[in-house]
Amino acid sequence: MRHKSLRFGKGFRTAFAVRKMQAAEMVLAPGDSEGDADNRHRGADQWLYVVSGRGVAIVEGERVPLKAGTLLVVEKRERHEIRNTGRTLLKTLNFYYPPAFGSRGDPIGPGRQR
């Protein structure tokens, strides 16, 4: 068993990985975004759960509103961007299958970005 208390500090930070799954926290300030029209994970699905805040996900050109309690799955190879459109921090918990990032947030393995 492993456990960790998440801090949800600004930016992207991996929590840990087990076997073929990885958890990470991402916090975006108002007006900030992560990704762009070419951002995609070559071999990893990304499950994104909104802890707090408001934003929008743009996945393959489709806009999905984000708010606390929203669960979104971005499948491997789908182009995507996450934007904070609110006035407070957008805090998300993300799961990658398989792991897509190293401990410093750098893309790794089959899940790495393309």
Side-chain angles (χ1 to χ4, degrees):
M1 178 183 81
R2 294 180 66 183
H3 67 91
K4 182 175 188 172
S5 294
L6 302 178
R7 299 180 316 186
F8 290 101
K10 288 185 181 179
F12 181 87
R13 156 182 316 107
T14 58
F16 55 80
V18 293
R19 293 180 298 283
K20 296 182 180 182
M21 191 87 161
Q22 177 181 52
E25 51 190 282
M26 180 173 65
V27 177
L28 297 174
D32 283 356
S33 65
E34 182 66 35
D36 56 30
D38 290 323
N39 179 48
R40 56 186 164 176
H41 307 289
R42 184 173 57 123
D45 295 329
Q46 177 183 356
W47 292 69
L48 179 143
Y49 178 76
V50 179
V51 176
S52 65
R54 292 193 167 277
V56 64
I58 303 166
V59 182
E60 290 294 323
E62 183 178 341
R63 297 173 70 88
V64 178
L66 302 174
K67 64 180 182 178
T70 300
L71 177 63
L72 172 74
V73 178
V74 179
E75 295 186 64
K76 63 184 175 183
R77 293 188 294 277
E78 287 185 323
R79 289 179 173 87
H80 62 282
E81 177 182 2
I82 307 299
R83 293 182 189 166
N84 182 341
T85 59
R87 290 185 256 165
T88 62
L89 295 174
L90 175 62
K91 298 179 182 182
T92 66
L93 178 59
N94 301 269
F95 296 95
Y96 297 91
Y97 176 82
F101 298 95
S103 60
R104 296 182 188 179
D106 50 320
I108 61 166
R112 72 179 170 261
Q113 294 177 343
R114 192 170 165 229

